[in-house]
Structures are given as structure tokens and as C-alpha cells.
Amino acid sequence: MTATLRALEFAAHDPQGLERFWTGLLGREIDDTGFRLRFVKSDEPKTRQNQMHFDLTSESLDDQRRTVAKALGLGGRHIDIGQLPDEKHVVLADPEGNEFCVIEPGNDFLADCGFVGAVASDGSQEVGYFWSEALHWPLVWDQDQETAIRSPRGGPKITWGGPPFTPKSGPNRLRFVLDGPLAEIDRLVSLGATRLGPQESGRVEMTDPDGNEFSVVVLG
């Protein structure tokens, strides 16, 4: 038995409110991701752009506008992260400032990935290789130091954009949560992960080769 991606965990000032936003925006489409969203209480302020964000897909320009309007109605807002005026995707933030994009129709890279097209990540080529091995998900893109993996069962891609990287200051607000047997901890370390401490409440905290935090819930 190997490690399985079970959740993407959000640190939130108001976990219930943030869960309402994302459940309202994604609806039943959230089941297509192959992992759950979890929201945990945190008093830490958001001080920088997140290391990970969702890319949501659109079937048409009207569909893109509907998704944007729905997000705004639920409490989201437009933000500027340096996108160019001629770029056709729309950059938004949820009520706690977590960035996400609504991608224009006709994006070939995200074709057949579903409404949640990708978990787009700031990260190195090496960390893409790490997560491919860690999850046993094949690489579906590996070019110009950009990488992407996708579950053999389908669903969204997880992508890493390569350099330049946003400087990391403090813990990430979004992290992966895996589950697996205790022996998986040693395997993940052998692949380049770092164990941060002892097992507590059945959970081991770790970082990937880029220093991004993730958790492993130990089974058995």
C-alpha cells in the first residue's frame, strides 16, 4: 500500500465560511478532483501569494462569465497579481484572499480535466518529479523546467511552473494531506522529503524538496 492524496488542506481564519465559499462555487464538481478539500483553523495572517491555486476551466466565454459572477456573489473578488491586460484568464481571490483563476475556453492543456482543471503550483522541476514518484502519478508534462502530473484515474493536473520562484516566508496556507502506512514515511524521505517531527495524533508533518509542507496520516 502506497501513499494516497486524500485532501488539499486550507488554513483558514473562518474554516466554515471558507468551506461554504468553495462548496458553493464547485458544487458537485468537487467530487471530480479525486481528493477532498479540508479547512482548518489558523490565526496566521496571509502575507504573500499562495504556493498553490486552482485553475477552473470554462466551456465558453458565457460559461467563464457565469463562474466569475458566481464567485463574486459568494464573496470572492478580483485581484491583480501582475497579469497582463491581454491575458484572457480571470484572476480572483476567495473571501480570505486565496488566489484562483478562471481559465478562458479553448485551453488545450486543461482539456478533459474537468471544472477543476489544475492545482497550479509554484515549484521546481525536481519537486514535480518528487510528487510523481510519491503518488505514483505519471508525468503528463515535462518541458522547459515546467512539470505536471495527473492521477491515472483522471481529474485535475497538478502543475509546477519552474523558475522564477516566489520567495517562501512562513508556512504555506495550502498543503497536501496524504495517507498511507508508516513505511511510506521512509520512502518519502528517500525520495527527497524531510520529516519535521514525530508522529502526533496519527499524523506526520513533512516538507517536499522545495520546502513545502505536507502531512501524512498514518494508517494501521
Side-chain angles (χ1 to χ4, degrees), residues 35-69:
F35 52 86
R36 294 179 291 168
L37 302 186
R38 292 180 182 169
F39 303 88
V40 297
K41 178 67 176 176
S42 173
D43 294 325
E44 291 292 326
K46 186 178 188 299
T47 59
R48 58 183 171 87
Q49 188 174 322
N50 286 341
Q51 184 258 337
M52 292 190 283
H53 69 269
F54 283 132
D55 282 343
L56 306 181
T57 64
S58 305
E59 296 180 358
S60 65
L61 289 175
D62 283 342
D63 185 42
Q64 184 183 31
R65 285 190 284 266
R66 282 193 295 269
T67 299
V68 171

Side-chain angles (χ1 to χ4, degrees), residues 2-168:
T2 58
T4 302
L5 176 58
R6 291 301 185 197
L8 177 60
E9 187 173 273
F10 287 68
H13 297 156
D14 176 11
Q16 292 181 333
L18 202 58
E19 182 175 8
R20 283 193 298 271
F21 172 85
W22 283 106
T23 301
L25 182 59
L26 301 182
R28 284 194 281 180
E29 303 291 344
I30 200 170
D31 298 329
D32 295 335
T33 61
F35 52 86
R36 294 179 291 168
L37 302 186
R38 292 180 182 169
F39 303 88
V40 297
K41 178 67 176 176
S42 173
D43 294 325
E44 291 292 326
K46 186 178 188 299
T47 59
R48 58 183 171 87
Q49 188 174 322
N50 286 341
Q51 184 258 337
M52 292 190 283
H53 69 269
F54 283 132
D55 282 343
L56 306 181
T57 64
S58 305
E59 296 180 358
S60 65
L61 289 175
D62 283 342
D63 185 42
Q64 184 183 31
R65 285 190 284 266
R66 282 193 295 269
T67 299
V68 171
K70 187 174 185 180
L72 296 176
L74 290 166
R77 64 182 186 274
H78 288 277
I79 58 170
D80 182 357
I81 60 170
Q83 63 269 31
L84 300 175
D86 60 345
E87 291 183 292
K88 297 180 180 179
H89 64 279
V90 179
V91 183
L92 302 172
D94 69 19
E96 296 204 8
N98 300 302
E99 305 86 359
F100 65 100
C101 295
V102 184
I103 305 300
E104 70 277 6
N107 185 294
D108 293 337
F109 182 70
L110 300 180
D112 302 323
C113 288
F115 181 46
V116 182
V119 179
S121 310
D122 188 33
S124 66
Q125 184 180 47
E126 290 74 20
V127 88
Y129 294 164
F130 166 82
W131 282 108
S132 178
E133 293 289 338
L135 298 174
H136 296 290
W137 287 15
L139 283 163
V140 294
W141 182 263
D142 184 11
Q143 186 172 316
D144 299 326
Q145 300 189 63
E146 298 177 356
T147 50
I149 63 175
R150 191 182 186 196
S151 168
R153 299 182 300 276
K157 295 175 178 175
I158 303 176
T159 70
W160 292 271
F165 307 122
T166 301
K168 187 176 186 296

Side-chain angles (χ1 to χ4, degrees), residues 2-3 130 133-136 183-192:
T2 58
F130 166 82
E133 293 289 338
L135 298 174
H136 296 290
E184 278 296 276
I185 303 301
D186 289 339
R187 186 180 74 89
L188 293 168
V189 169
S190 75
L191 293 173

Side-chain angles (χ1 to χ4, degrees), residues 17 77 200 206:
R77 64 182 186 274
E200 295 184 1
M206 308 188 76

